[in-house]
Amino acid sequence: MRKEILEKFLPLTFEEREELKKKKIKKHDIATIYLHWFNATVWFIELITGSALIISKYYKFTPHFWQKMWMEIFGTRANMLKFHIFTGVLWIIVLLIYAVFGYKNYLWGYFKNMLLLTKDDILWVYYKGMQILGKKVQLPPQGIYNGGQKLYAWDVAIGTILIAITGPIMAFHLGSVTLVRWAIAVHFLAVGLVLMGLFVHIYMAAFMPEERQSFFSMFTGYVNELYAYEHHYKWWREMVKEREKWIEEYKKEIEKELQEA
Amino acid sequence: MSNGRLTRRQFLKGTALVAGTTILPTGLVRAQRRPTTWHGRERVTEIPSTCEMCFWRCGIIGEVKDGRLVKIKGNPLHPNNRGKICARGNAGLKTLYDPDRLKYPLMRVGKRGEAKWRRVSWNEALDYMVDKLKDIKSKYGPEAIAMFPHGVSSRLLKSVFASWGVVNFAVASFNHCKGPRDVAFKLTFGTSPGSPERLDLPNASMIVLIGSHLGENIHTGQVREFAEAIGRGAKIVVVDPRFSTAASKAHWWLPIRPGSDTALILAWINVLIEKDLYDKEFVNRYTYGFEELKKAIKPFTPEWAEKVTDIPASTIREIAVEMGIRKPSVLVHPGRHTVWYGNDVQRSRAIAILVALLGSWGKPGGYFLPTPLKKSKCPCPKQEKPSKDVCEASGKHIYPFHEEGVPSQCVVDATLTGKPYPIKAWITYGTNIIQSIPQPERTIKAIEKLDLLVAIDILPTDPSLYADVILPEATYLERYDLPFVVSNWTDPYVAIRQPVVKPLFQSKGPFWIAKEVSKRLGLKNCLPCNSEEEMIDKILEPLNISLGDLTNKGVMSFPGRPYDTSNLRFRTPTGKIELYSTKLAAKGFSPIPVFEPVDEPPKGYFRLIYGRSPVHSFTRTVNNEWLDEIYPENRVWLNEKAAEKMGIKDGDEVYLVNQDGVKEGPVKVFVTPGIRDDCVFIVHGFGQKNPMMRRAYNKGISDSFLMTKIKPDPITGTTGMRVNFVKIEKNGKLLEYTPEGYEERLKEMKAAHVTPTIKIQKPANVQPEQPQPQEEEEEEGC
Amino acid sequence: MTKYAMVINVEKCVGCHACELACKAEWGVAENEHRTWVKPTYPQSLGGKGLFDLVAAFYVGQCNHCDHPTCVEACPTGATFKREDGIVVVDYDLCIGCGYCVEACPYGARYVHPTLKKVDKCDFCAPRLEKGLEPACVETCITGAKVFGDLEDPTSEVYKLVYEEGARGITSEEVNIGPNVYYIGDEKKVDLIINKFPPRKPKLPTPASIWEKLLKPLLGLGVVASFLGASVAYFIQLFKGEDKFE
């Protein structure tokens, strides 16, 4: 590996690419993977039951058959609402457990990696736009998450907080009638905002060929270094440096143990 | 209906009682299974009883869940209210569970009016009360004790005191309510219209209400029948200076000048006779003194009446003719609260005469006849020779036709002055003497002179503020009462009041209280029954029914003979309907009613008239949560023209100042076209002065406090109350209003004065007065 | 088919409030709130000659169980719905007490129960009807002014009063959503009630109208656009095909 690659983002030779392709690098913790899929499942369930619950003229956005079908699956609409609330409460509890016990690793990590926007992130969004419009541009190097993902992370973070607050207000009538009235509108608004990003997120993460690594990393936790180098150079560089440090320390420890033995 | 008897037979079969026993052991009564029903989505037990939110005594059913009353509904078997009850009846449970209820016997520790109390046991309270009474009796005699009883539950204690020699019973329902009309009808027909009044409203083709605001005055059975008559298209005439609810249903609303009702009635009689429209056959057969009446009535023409009443002569004539055509199914309502101007017996007499001329006595659509039901008593024998009551003893306040005890103003006078003899102890039972007797400032002064004031009630009403001993009575939902044997209904009935729930706190039923007092007074033969159940059984024995027959149904009705005139008799000296009253003549009163003009309001004043709200029974219900919610305070009805001139707007807060400078307020004004401009109207019962009534305290104003003047009827001594006048004070300024043509009116009134042509003398052809078999009158509420 | 309706005879009603309290006792209606209520019009002059030309009546109000209930349209959870027998009910299991329906009702027949936190209103005593009992207000009405029954049954009293004797619901030119509480009696009195207590225009509370008028279209557009964008990208991907080697 050329030394200067660690200093600056440069095009790679074929050999280098093949070499990097073979190496795996850990992108997600087990806990993150589970949380992601738990979150996804909850969203799936809540979107279905939620959309089937909203039946009156002013608010409904799904057809009658859909609502009827789900009502009949649940028996009554009251059951469906109870299930919706139960799932939502479970979701909030799980998120709170992550936030409390994982405040160091996951809450701070989420903030640091996903919400903290750098100049590169903003530029990335700008250049990505240009790229989509067909201009040949060089995207600035990115951390573990790129600018687009970070924007979606903001969307999700705001949406989650709003939903987790307004949901219980509606379900358990916390506060005044006026508060409940606003909670309904905010609940719908938050879901809509997240939904807008969700389609892009699903397409970009699961359908785009170049993001294949990223998609499977949500199951395995690993990506290959070539993907990391090309898409998340800043993160890759950090990881490589950290890994070298770790290897040195690891080696010293082993030697120490051997000597003692 | 005979289904009552059928039920009894079934019941007897079912419980396999030993033949011949009519008295059920108490245990058996309770062992009967109660019927159940649905309350909301819950199963509840039904316990029938009788309502006491007013004194109409509708049949009710309490819905009870786990010993708690959850709802009250009407008893569909009850022939009077037929399963219907009014707002007050529905709100009864809020009186039962009123947090302000009297819970324990209390004795005063502070000064009178300070409301400082000590909680005591029943023994201590009763011992203290009886010792004090004995003291007073030994010092001043039994006449130094006065009682103010009201309602059926007070009857037992009243009989105990009567047996002990007490004579001064001031009965509110007679003095402040229906005394004049009862006496007037007795003088004319030998019997009162009864309570409930024997009015065949559903069959009436024409109903005439004179000052009666049926509809705001909710007597459920009567209002139901009134509505039935409206539904059948009966012609309604309402005589009232105010556009009452009844007036809004009427074909003719006659906004009469207050105090001139007698003139209108006399004019109607005049037209009926002049135009030969009266029931000749009836008059010939049953009445006495028609010729005298015919002569005496001559001057009272509609044209004369127009000047006095402000009602066009043509209208008076039109209505009289309508009455004449529709007779005998024309119902002229006798009214109930008839103590207006101190000339009330003569006005009620005029109504009675009108009824007689229309021949509607004992006819469908008129006054039906009672079907007497026998009953016995659980008596307190009179043990001592009664002394003279305050009126008799005074020698000057003699009201020859006063019934049921003594006029309350006589008791108050004697207490204040010590003449003719001092009165030292008062016992109030279920009545708010501060608010129900006019001139309350005198009542309060009199109380200050007392050695003992005992208040027996369910709520801390005004008298308890001054009482030495307060005794908490059980509410009507927690107690037995004397059974109601009602012959004044088309199908007469027997109904019971029984506990729907156990008495709350330390409240006690009337039987227990009376029994304990009689024991302490050392009266041996008084109330010879061991329990309330036994007492009820004993009273109903002559009817061959017992409490056990009624415990699950609450009521039993019998076939009536309301129109059976085959042996129609009148308990008058002449044995006939006395158009010319021999009794009045004998006592020196005008034997045929004449019009006596009442004092017109002084210049700038309004006459104060009062009435009821459909959701309140005087002061009794103002602390009820639900009724307070509907009608929390009274408002002053003021004519819109007068209001405009005085610069008063709807909802303005004002004070009322009466002719003697007494001020009540603040109170909101209700500006309306629906009242004449020479009077103002408020609903009675508000302006509670006892802070222990936390909900009702100081809400609205008290009409009683504005009544510093009264005019007793010379015939009965009943208290005329509509003789007080008020001005309106707004923002500290006393406003004045004089109706248009005020001076002319005064002149006209003077000119319209008719000297009676009748000479007062004992008619020769009549036997000297013989003692008449008195109908047993039971003390009723208003 | 059944279609329940109530007819109020304004000639018979004396404004005694018994119906209001029987209802209160039966259903635990909150303090100062009503499922059914009585309001006096008070004496009104008809412009004739003063004292002799007055009219007054009592307005007995309750849920009108309308043919086209605006409350049902306004309910976000579908807790309020119209049953096949015409009764508009609130399913407490679905109601979240937001009170959108309270604003939408032209008759003010609904309120949010302060302790239950659910919307409460007249349901013609549906649970009592199931047990074969009359509505509590009809049971207690001392003058028989309240008549309840089935409008589809030609033998019923309400059918007669509505279709033959011309009982009228409270409607205005602006608001007519097919009320099923009717008033009969002197035309002057019925007119007075309708004019004095006209139906108000159904409203949506601010958050609901913001959602309805602004957020729903905007967000809808956004969601659809994002979905379409992703879809188009995928179509292009399908068209282009994917690389064989990476």
Side-chain angles (χ1 to χ4, degrees):
Chain A
M1 179 70 72
R2 285 176 288 166
K3 193 95 190 196
E4 60 267 32
I5 282 181
L6 267 177
E7 305 297 325
K8 208 178 168 194
F9 182 71
L10 293 169
L12 301 172
T13 64
F14 180 73
E15 286 75 17
E16 281 166 341
R17 293 180 78 94
E18 284 302 304
E19 193 191 337
L20 281 182
K21 223 192 249 181
K22 275 178 208 150
K23 283 197 211 157
K24 294 267 179 207
I25 186 167
K26 193 175 137 197
K27 189 174 181 191
H28 301 300
D29 281 0
I30 300 279
T32 314
I33 295 170
Y34 277 120
L35 183 64
H36 175 267
W37 291 113
F38 169 74
N39 203 18
T41 316
V42 167
W43 268 91
F44 184 69
I45 290 169
E46 297 292 74
L47 274 176
I48 285 175
T49 50
S51 68
L53 273 168
I54 301 167
I55 63 166
S56 52
K57 193 178 124 187
Y58 291 138
Y59 321 101
K60 68 181 259 180
F61 47 83
T62 48
H64 180 67
F65 84 88
W66 170 264
Q67 295 172 336
K68 197 158 182 228
M69 179 179 83
W70 286 103
M71 190 194 92
E72 273 166 20
I73 286 170
F74 279 91
T76 63
R77 289 165 33 73
N79 283 346
M80 194 152 70
L81 178 63
K82 276 179 198 146
F83 183 75
H84 186 87
I85 292 171
F86 174 82
T87 312
V89 170
L90 188 73
W91 176 69
I92 293 169
I93 290 172
V94 169
L95 288 181
L96 281 178
I97 289 172
Y98 265 80
V100 172
F101 292 97
Y103 77 95
K104 200 167 60 196
N105 297 314
Y106 301 105
L107 191 63
W108 172 241
Y110 187 87
F111 179 73
K112 192 179 68 184
N113 296 327
M114 300 196 75
L115 299 182
L116 218 58
L117 288 165
T118 62
K119 201 183 162 193
D120 281 346
D121 295 327
I122 292 154
L123 281 175
W124 185 91
V125 177
Y126 177 68
Y127 284 121
K128 188 70 185 176
M130 307 284 274
Q131 200 180 47
I132 288 168
L133 291 175
K135 291 220 169 122
K136 280 235 161 200
V137 284
Q138 176 71 46
L139 293 171
Q142 294 290 297
I144 183 166
Y145 296 107
N146 63 38
Q149 285 167 324
K150 280 186 177 176
L151 282 186
Y152 182 57
W154 270 103
D155 188 16
V156 170
I158 292 169
T160 301
I161 289 168
L162 289 179
I163 289 163
I165 290 172
T166 54
I169 289 176
M170 291 156 66
F172 309 113
H173 204 290
L174 310 173
S176 67
V177 173
T178 318
L179 192 67
V180 174
R181 288 179 176 180
W182 279 101
I184 297 168
V186 173
H187 199 78
F188 291 1
L189 168 73
V191 172
L193 284 176
V194 175
L195 217 52
M196 269 162 66
L198 188 63
F199 292 115
V200 181
H201 170 69
I202 292 173
Y203 174 73
M204 296 273 240
F207 290 83
M208 259 167 84
E210 53 264 47
E211 294 290 341
R212 183 186 298 238
Q213 283 290 316
S214 166
F215 179 60
F216 289 107
S217 77
M218 235 344 137
F219 298 98
T220 62
Y222 292 95
V223 290
N224 66 37
E225 281 200 27
L226 178 62
Y227 168 81
Y229 180 86
E230 284 190 325
H231 289 88
H232 304 284
Y233 171 74
K234 270 154 82 178
W235 170 60
W236 175 82
R237 198 177 56 189
E238 222 166 280
M239 289 301 283
V240 170
K241 277 180 186 165
E242 262 181 53
R243 191 170 55 190
E244 275 169 6
K245 231 186 193 167
W246 176 77
I247 288 171
E248 267 171 39
E249 275 171 24
Y250 193 38
K251 274 181 182 166
K252 268 182 204 161
E253 232 169 83
I254 291 172
E255 271 169 33
K256 212 176 172 187
E257 270 174 39
L258 284 172
Q259 274 172 1
E260 277 172 13
Chain B
M1 302 309 267
S2 57
N3 64 351
R5 291 184 190 281
L6 256 176
T7 321
R8 171 175 156 71
R9 226 174 283 139
Q10 285 166 343
F11 169 73
L12 285 178
K13 239 188 261 171
T15 49
L17 269 177
V18 184
T21 46
T22 44
I23 297 167
L24 275 168
T26 325
L28 242 172
V29 173
R30 297 224 177 91
Q32 285 187 63
R33 261 199 113 139
R34 294 285 188 188
T36 61
T37 188
W38 290 93
H39 171 75
R41 292 177 176 84
E42 287 177 320
R43 262 218 173 275
V44 289
T45 311
E46 291 185 315
I47 302 174
S49 189
T50 300
C51 190
E52 203 189 42
M53 291 300 280
C54 78
F55 297 91
W56 194 253
R57 292 167 193 158
C58 296
I60 53 169
I61 292 177
E63 297 183 352
V64 178
K65 173 95 183 162
D66 304 326
R68 200 179 158 82
L69 182 66
V70 291
K71 192 191 169 187
I72 300 170
K73 64 179 178 191
N75 184 352
L77 295 176
H78 202 286
N80 191 317
N81 61 309
R82 297 196 193 159
K84 313 290 188 184
I85 46 168
C86 69
R88 294 162 300 168
N90 272 294
L93 78 165
K94 288 291 172 187
T95 293
L96 171 65
Y97 297 120
D98 192 326
D100 293 346
R101 260 184 71 175
L102 293 172
K103 301 178 178 74
Y104 319 99
L106 297 172
M107 277 170 65
R108 181 166 60 83
V109 288
K111 278 188 194 154
R112 282 209 169 109
E114 252 185 6
K116 280 189 186 155
W117 310 98
R118 180 165 66 91
R119 181 179 158 182
V120 296
S121 69
W122 271 96
N123 272 334
E124 192 182 342
L126 289 174
D127 285 344
Y128 176 83
M129 165 185 154
V130 170
D131 286 349
K132 201 90 191 180
L133 286 174
K134 279 179 174 166
D135 249 26
I136 290 166
K137 191 184 175 188
S138 63
K139 248 191 234 167
Y140 306 98
E143 62 270 22
I145 298 162
M147 185 181 178
F148 297 80
H150 198 215
V152 64
S153 66
S154 68
R155 270 185 223 162
L156 290 171
L157 190 63
K158 188 183 157 196
S159 68
V160 169
F161 281 127
S163 163
W164 197 50
V166 174
V167 283
N168 291 319
F169 297 103
V171 181
S173 63
F174 183 87
N175 286 321
H176 311 308
C177 192
K178 57 195 174 57
R181 72 133 213 235
D182 282 359
V183 168
F185 271 72
K186 277 181 191 169
L187 288 171
T188 316
F189 292 96
T191 175
S192 77
S195 174
E197 291 87 6
R198 296 186 303 275
L199 308 178
D200 192 12
L201 286 158
N203 293 315
S205 67
M206 185 169 181
I207 296 168
V208 183
L209 301 177
I210 301 165
S212 163
H213 55 349
L214 205 56
E216 276 142 298
N217 176 17
I218 302 274
H219 289 147
T220 307
Q222 212 170 78
V223 176
R224 175 176 57 72
E225 293 186 341
F226 181 51
E228 215 175 308
I230 292 169
R232 290 190 189 161
K235 289 266 178 197
I236 315 282
V237 181
V238 173
V239 183
D240 197 325
R242 185 178 64 97
F243 191 71
S244 61
T245 300
S248 74
K249 318 280 181 202
H251 298 82
W252 286 283
W253 170 48
L254 310 181
I256 194 166
R257 184 186 302 173
S260 65
D261 310 73
T262 317
L264 173 69
I265 303 160
L266 292 176
W268 278 340
I269 294 173
N270 177 293
V271 177
L272 283 177
I273 293 177
E274 294 292 311
K275 296 211 170 201
D276 258 6
L277 283 166
Y278 61 96
D279 190 332
K280 281 196 201 80
E281 200 204 317
F282 187 89
V283 168
N284 287 339
R285 190 165 165 196
Y286 294 117
T287 66
Y288 169 81
F290 180 71
E291 287 310 315
E292 283 92 337
L293 173 71
K294 199 172 172 182
K295 224 191 298 166
I297 210 76
K298 275 232 164 78
F300 304 119
T301 59
E303 284 69 24
W304 163 81
E306 176 174 344
K307 288 187 184 139
V308 183
T309 60
D310 293 344
I311 296 165
S314 58
T315 310
I316 297 175
R317 214 169 245 123
E318 190 187 349
I319 293 169
V321 168
E322 189 82 29
M323 281 197 261
I325 293 167
R326 286 173 184 263
K327 70 172 188 297
S329 63
V330 177
L331 193 52
V332 186
H333 197 291
R336 194 170 172 102
H337 175 92
T338 40
V339 286
W340 301 349
Y341 303 103
N343 57 7
D344 308 304
V345 177
Q346 294 293 20
R347 184 188 62 248
S348 295
R349 275 265 302 145
I351 293 177
I353 290 167
L354 185 59
V355 171
L357 292 181
L358 292 166
S360 62
W361 191 264
K363 304 260 176 60
Y367 286 63
F368 62 80
L369 302 171
T371 313
L373 297 178
K374 272 184 230 150
K375 64 170 178 176
S376 74
K377 263 188 156 180
C378 181
C380 266
K382 291 239 161 43
Q383 293 183 340
E384 300 189 22
K385 202 173 151 239
S387 43
K388 277 188 174 177
D389 69 40
V390 270
C391 278
E392 285 174 276
S394 74
K396 54 179 183 187
H397 295 300
I398 293 182
Y399 304 110
F401 295 96
H402 190 274
E403 297 173 356
E404 299 187 57
V406 293
S408 46
Q409 66 268 20
C410 290
V411 175
V412 176
D413 280 347
T415 312
L416 273 173
T417 59
K419 281 173 194 160
Y421 49 67
I423 291 181
K424 289 293 175 190
W426 287 7
I427 296 139
T428 71
Y429 200 126
T431 175
N432 184 341
I433 51 169
I434 309 288
Q435 298 279 359
S436 68
I437 305 176
Q439 301 174 308
E441 74 291 346
R442 278 168 60 83
T443 313
I444 293 166
K445 262 186 213 148
I447 287 172
E448 274 153 18
K449 297 213 159 187
L450 291 175
D451 290 348
L452 178 71
L453 174 63
V454 180
I456 305 169
D457 212 327
I458 56 169
L459 279 163
T461 53
D462 295 341
S464 48
L465 195 56
Y466 307 98
D468 302 293
V469 181
I470 300 179
L471 301 178
E473 200 195 13
T475 64
Y476 71 101
L477 294 161
E478 302 159 308
R479 66 175 194 236
Y480 281 107
D481 263 326
L482 294 165
F484 307 107
V485 181
V486 179
S487 50
N488 289 326
W489 204 248
T490 40
D491 20 343
Y493 56 89
V494 174
I496 53 160
R497 179 172 291 147
Q498 60 178 337
V500 173
V501 293
K502 284 191 193 129
L504 293 175
F505 319 111
Q506 282 183 15
S507 62
K508 295 284 185 191
F511 182 84
W512 187 90
I513 297 174
K515 194 88 183 166
E516 289 294 311
V517 171
S518 76
K519 268 191 227 160
R520 282 172 171 78
L521 290 174
L523 301 172
K524 292 227 172 66
N525 301 322
C526 195
L527 301 174
C529 308
N530 292 316
S531 67
E532 290 130 318
E533 289 96 332
E534 200 186 309
M535 174 181 74
I536 294 168
D537 280 336
K538 191 166 175 190
I539 291 168
L540 298 181
E541 223 179 324
L543 286 166
N544 207 21
I545 50 175
S546 72
L547 177 59
D549 301 343
L550 295 167
T551 181
N552 271 353
K553 298 206 176 290
V555 66
M556 193 181 281
S557 57
F558 302 86
R561 300 180 300 276
Y563 315 119
D564 181 8
T565 51
S566 54
N567 46 10
L568 190 56
R569 276 190 196 92
F570 301 97
R571 287 198 209 120
T572 54
T574 54
K576 291 195 160 186
I577 300 171
E578 293 200 344
L579 305 178
Y580 177 101
S581 173
T582 53
K583 274 181 160 183
L584 282 179
K587 295 283 179 191
F589 298 106
S590 173
I592 286 171
V594 285
F595 172 67
E596 302 163 35
V598 300
D599 291 341
E600 283 292 298
K603 208 170 173 190
Y605 279 91
F606 295 95
R607 185 184 296 276
L608 176 69
I609 59 174
Y610 53 85
R612 297 181 65 177
S613 148
V615 300
H616 284 295
S617 297
F618 328 123
T619 61
R620 297 175 62 90
T621 54
V622 286
N623 210 52
N624 183 296
E625 182 191 323
W626 284 350
L627 301 177
D628 172 77
E629 185 186 307
I630 295 172
Y631 198 92
E633 58 183 20
N634 50 6
R635 293 189 298 171
V636 183
W637 285 51
L638 178 66
N639 180 279
E640 59 181 12
K641 251 194 286 169
E644 204 191 315
K645 273 215 173 135
M646 294 158 79
I648 292 174
K649 283 190 202 72
D650 191 64
D652 280 358
E653 283 203 338
V654 298
Y655 288 81
L656 296 188
V657 185
N658 83 348
Q659 71 279 347
D660 294 322
V662 172
K663 195 158 124 179
E664 271 282 304
V667 63
K668 289 198 185 86
V669 177
F670 170 55
V671 174
T672 173
I675 190 165
R676 286 172 60 99
D677 65 352
D678 52 4
C679 53
V680 292
F681 171 88
I682 52 173
V683 169
H684 168 68
F686 290 87
Q688 290 286 311
K689 312 289 186 205
N690 191 342
M692 285 154 84
M693 300 261 277
R694 284 173 292 179
R695 196 178 288 278
Y697 177 59
N698 246 347
K699 277 188 185 166
I701 59 164
S702 163
D703 53 342
S704 306
F705 277 78
L706 290 167
M707 293 176 191
T708 47
K709 204 166 78 186
I710 55 165
K711 200 170 174 210
D713 190 300
I715 300 172
T716 52
T718 47
T719 331
M721 303 185 193
R722 295 189 179 166
V723 293
N724 289 277
F725 309 106
V726 293
K727 274 185 187 169
I728 295 176
E729 186 191 296
K730 192 187 156 191
N731 299 334
K733 256 205 294 196
L734 213 52
L735 303 171
E736 283 194 4
Y737 173 79
T738 313
E740 268 172 58
Y742 173 80
E743 310 285 347
E744 284 159 43
R745 246 199 258 178
L746 285 187
K747 268 182 221 154
E748 272 179 10
M749 283 289 268
K750 247 184 207 156
H753 186 70
V754 175
T755 337
T757 53
I758 279 285
K759 271 187 217 143
I760 300 160
Q761 57 177 32
K762 240 184 224 181
N765 57 345
V766 178
Q767 308 287 315
E769 199 181 320
Q770 284 168 354
Q772 300 293 324
Q774 271 290 312
E775 243 181 296
E776 200 199 328
E777 259 319 305
E778 278 180 344
E779 196 275 310
E780 303 280 345
C782 191
Chain C
M1 277 292 278
T2 314
K3 187 185 177 192
Y4 286 120
M6 185 84 78
V7 181
I8 286 136
N9 187 330
V10 300
E11 291 300 326
K12 286 188 170 184
C13 177
V14 294
C16 78
H17 293 263
C19 48
E20 191 177 317
L21 292 187
C23 175
K24 234 172 198 186
E26 191 74 35
W27 300 111
V29 177
E31 201 172 334
N32 286 318
E33 301 287 358
H34 307 93
R35 276 182 171 206
T36 179
W37 59 87
V38 180
K39 285 180 186 163
T41 64
Y42 294 117
Q44 300 291 320
S45 175
L46 291 176
K49 42 176 175 131
L51 282 176
F52 289 91
D53 195 24
L54 295 178
V55 63
F58 293 94
Y59 162 46
V60 180
Q62 64 193 81
C63 171
N64 282 264
H65 301 275
C66 305
D67 293 338
H68 313 288
T70 44
C71 53
V72 170
E73 287 175 353
C75 176
T77 66
T80 276
F81 60 95
K82 195 169 170 68
R83 305 203 314 189
E84 292 208 331
D85 57 9
I87 302 180
V88 175
V89 293
V90 181
D91 184 343
Y92 273 15
D93 287 337
L94 283 165
C95 179
I96 58 171
C98 69
Y100 282 13
C101 55
V102 174
E103 305 279 315
C105 175
Y107 302 98
R110 295 166 162 261
Y111 73 97
V112 181
H113 197 293
T115 50
L116 294 176
K117 311 281 189 196
K118 309 276 179 193
V119 165
D120 191 36
K121 71 163 200 78
C122 162
D123 57 359
F124 276 161
C125 280
R128 282 174 65 91
L129 298 180
E130 279 158 31
K131 307 289 182 208
L133 300 166
E134 283 180 305
C137 57
V138 176
E139 186 183 67
T140 204
C141 178
I142 63 172
T143 59
K146 272 193 154 185
V147 184
F148 177 75
D150 178 8
L151 265 188
E152 306 272 305
D153 172 11
T155 62
S156 73
E157 173 103 27
V158 288
Y159 182 93
K160 211 182 89 198
L161 291 171
V162 172
Y163 295 128
E164 289 165 19
E165 296 184 17
R168 287 185 283 157
I170 294 187
T171 57
S172 66
E173 269 177 33
E174 275 188 316
V175 185
N176 184 356
I177 55 173
N180 281 305
V181 173
Y182 300 85
Y183 298 79
I184 192 155
D186 185 344
E187 294 298 304
K188 276 185 284 185
K189 290 181 188 168
V190 177
D191 280 339
L192 178 63
I193 289 171
I194 294 176
N195 293 333
K196 188 119 201 231
F197 303 99
R200 60 165 194 238
K201 267 180 118 177
K203 277 190 298 191
L204 274 185
T206 322
S209 45
I210 289 179
W211 167 255
E212 154 80 3
K213 298 218 169 73
L214 186 72
L215 298 178
K216 193 177 156 185
L218 276 181
L219 284 172
L221 212 66
V223 171
V224 169
S226 111
F227 181 76
L228 283 181
S231 309
V232 167
Y234 194 58
F235 297 152
I236 293 168
Q237 184 181 329
L238 291 178
F239 182 74
K240 277 187 179 163
E242 293 175 29
D243 297 339
K244 278 219 172 89
F245 308 103
E246 285 168 2

